[in-house]
């Protein structure tokens, strides 16, 4: 299994809603990442989890809250988002934080109304 | 700071070779990558090269690295319609946990 899976594929939410994005990998990777990608732009790093601990937060607003329940799962909890948060949210994993090749999931396309 | 630059567009005839170029500024770059993103999809890691290598070949893909000029290229032989996508060049250093992406090159294939 060389896949990173993400659910849901699409999500529409209002500014007062609370929702969660999920990411799963069964490659035994110990580093997992959240990225945000706006249209026609490269991905922007949001968070890095290393051995299930948050190691990097790229000054992301607190309305985004990551969680790593175990080594295979990564969640991104969303609350009180703004329309400008609409984007493709990508999860990635790598063997460990020192192994630089990251494998990406298909993403969740989020629309905030 | 670190920067990775690519041209935005490339149009190639089906069956020809495509060459996508990239330049980077970080002299401590240790790893250089090529990712492919098809419409509505995530990023697919195509290949990567360590900075102590000059070339890497994998089937139709050839990566060339000129470390002196900080120039990386991706050559796709016998370009097919399925190669239409955005190609991102990226780099990272051994001391950093993050990858720096270029802005992406949109490759379109004409018949």
């Amino acid at each position: 299994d060389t896949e990173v899976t993400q659910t849901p594929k699409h999500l529409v939410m209002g500014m007062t809603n609370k929702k969660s994005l999920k990411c799963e990998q069964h490659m035994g990777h110990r580093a997992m990442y959240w990225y945000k990608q706006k249209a026609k732009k490269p991905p922007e790093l949001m968070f890095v989890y290393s051995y299930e601990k948050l190691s990097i937060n790229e000054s992301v607003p607190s309305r985004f809250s990551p969680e790593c329940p175990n080594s295979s799962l990564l969640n991104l909890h969303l609350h009180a988002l703004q329309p400008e948060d609409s984007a493709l949210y990508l999860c990635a994993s790598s063997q460990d934080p020192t192994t630089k090749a990251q494998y990406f999931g298909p993403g969740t396309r989020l629309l905030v109304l | 700071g670190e920067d990775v630059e690519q041209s935005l567009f490339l149009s190639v005839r089906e069956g020809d070779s495509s060459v996508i170029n990239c330049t980077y500024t970080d002299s401590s770059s240790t790893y250089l990558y090529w990712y492919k993103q098809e419409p509505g999809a995530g990023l697919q890691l195509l290949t990567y090269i360590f900075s102590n290598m000059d070339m890497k070949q994998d089937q139709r893909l050839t990566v060339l690295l000129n470390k002196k000029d900080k120039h990386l290229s991706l050559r796709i032989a016998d370009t097919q319609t399925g190669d239409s996508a955005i190609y991102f060049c990226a780099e990272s250093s051994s001391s950093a946990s993050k990858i720096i992406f270029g802005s992406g090159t949109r490759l379109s294939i004409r018949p």
Side-chain angles (χ1 to χ4, degrees), chain A residues 37-92:
Chain A
Q37 187 181 26
K38 299 286 267 185
K40 301 187 195 306
K41 297 287 187 186
E44 297 171 21
L45 183 66
M46 300 174 73
F47 302 104
V48 180
Y49 270 83
S50 170
Y51 297 93
E52 294 124 69
K53 292 193 185 330
L54 182 65
S55 61
I56 294 180
N57 175 342
E58 291 283 301
S59 304
V60 179
S62 59
R63 57 186 184 269
F64 295 90
S65 173
E67 179 199 17
C68 190
N70 60 54
S71 60
S72 300
L73 290 174
L74 186 66
N75 297 323
L76 186 63
H77 303 297
L78 314 173
H79 173 53
L81 294 194
Q82 303 296 308
E84 60 264 28
D85 296 321
S86 299
L88 181 68
Y89 287 85
L90 294 163
C91 173

